[in-house]
Amino acid sequence: MRNKEIDLLVVSPSSNMYYLSNFTDEPGERLFMLLIPDKGDPEYLVPELYADQVNQQSHVENIRAWGDSDNPQRLLRSTLKKLEARNSKVAIDNTMWASFLLMLQGIIPNCNFVRASNIMSPLRRIKESNEISKMLEAGKLADEAFGEVSELSLKGMTELEIANQLEKEMLRRGGDQIAFETLVASGPNSALPHHRAGKREIREGDTVTFDFGCKVDGYCSDTSRTVICGKPSPKQEEVYQVVREAQEKAFQAVGPGVEALKIDREAREYITKAGYGENFVHRTGHGIGLDVHEEPYIVGGNSLHIEEGMTFSIEPGIYLQEDFGVRIEDIVLVNKDGGKRLNNSNRELQ
Ligand code: CO
């Protein structure tokens, strides 16, 4: 904060709140804030019904609670006064609800408001060993769940039934919760990168793409695999091998000091040379940790140098509209001499 001349960091319920204080909850309409000044102690403003919980679970000692019949704005005003926020540079949690930012702007109109990601992203994008071990576990649970589901005869099952099965297996093995809504896209639906599982029944010859992950102590996994129900057509086989090789090329490019855009380029150039450049309609990857999508983004134009301890997905895909699509995704940790995958489900065509 001092390096960036930020006087006050204001965090709302979010992954940042969990990262900094070991506590968070879903964002809601009640004022719930962690205020961290550059000097002095942090202050937690919490709804009274959370006071004991925050006290037991968070690292923060100063907890000010407000009751449902109190005016939380008054409490916020007195806290900001105590922290001497008047002409300060104030960093705001990127996902804070607009209503709370407007409240802050009303109380301290002369402050300069900036995004908290200025401070938080450089911290969060480098994972420490305790974070990595949780992500490894989350990846392992996803692998095991997929292993179980890929034994099923998919024919006749609906996308939703398969998605529910995958989720159940991840949770049964110890995931805290799923990391995001599980995607199962079959047949022509697999040509839609973010198709949600629906009621379509799997038929012989369908391509089926799965995109799934769970959380362990808040840390996410995120895996995509594509299988064929029955015998693949030559076209399915060809497209699959192009994606498989593009994913491997991008993975091989990972190492400390490499620009993020270079990893994207490896996958994209391979797919383009194979004639499918226009069908690869998204970035190659995204950082992952407490959030499923966070920095660093593996995308053209991002000249950020990858560092040891970063974790991100590599997930090229080819989508042929009204026909089928293929995506293969792994989470990769940057080590001192390259990349290490945190999930290892079979990547060969099944
Ligand atoms: Co992903």
Side-chain angles (χ1 to χ4, degrees), residues 180 211 222-224 286 292-293 313 315 329 331:
F180 53 91
D211 192 339
D222 181 6
T223 304
S224 300
H286 54 84
V292 193
H293 290 181
S313 69
E315 50 178 311
E329 170 181 30
I331 302 304

Side-chain angles (χ1 to χ4, degrees), residues 258-270:
V258 174
E259 287 175 304
L261 60 86
K262 167 88 170 29
I263 302 168
D264 179 83
R265 193 187 295 148
E266 282 295 315
R268 202 165 300 279
E269 279 184 354
Y270 187 81

Side-chain angles (χ1 to χ4, degrees), residues 9-11 16 91-94 114-122:
L9 168 61
V10 186
V11 180
N16 283 333
I92 299 291
D93 209 338
N94 291 39
V114 298
R115 291 165 201 244
S117 53
N118 290 331
I119 314 168
M120 297 307 299
S121 294

Side-chain angles (χ1 to χ4, degrees), residues 1 7 33 39 77 94 121 139-140 159 165 215 234:
M1 286 171 69
D7 307 293
M33 277 180 192
K39 302 179 205 69
R77 188 183 296 276
N94 291 39
S121 294
K140 192 181 114 213
E159 295 170 343
Q165 192 73 22
K215 292 189 180 189

Side-chain angles (χ1 to χ4, degrees), residues 95-110:
T95 58
M96 180 182 286
W97 283 15
S99 55
F100 298 118
L101 174 59
L102 290 169
M103 195 188 280
L104 282 161
Q105 288 176 322
I107 300 172
I108 43 175
N110 297 324

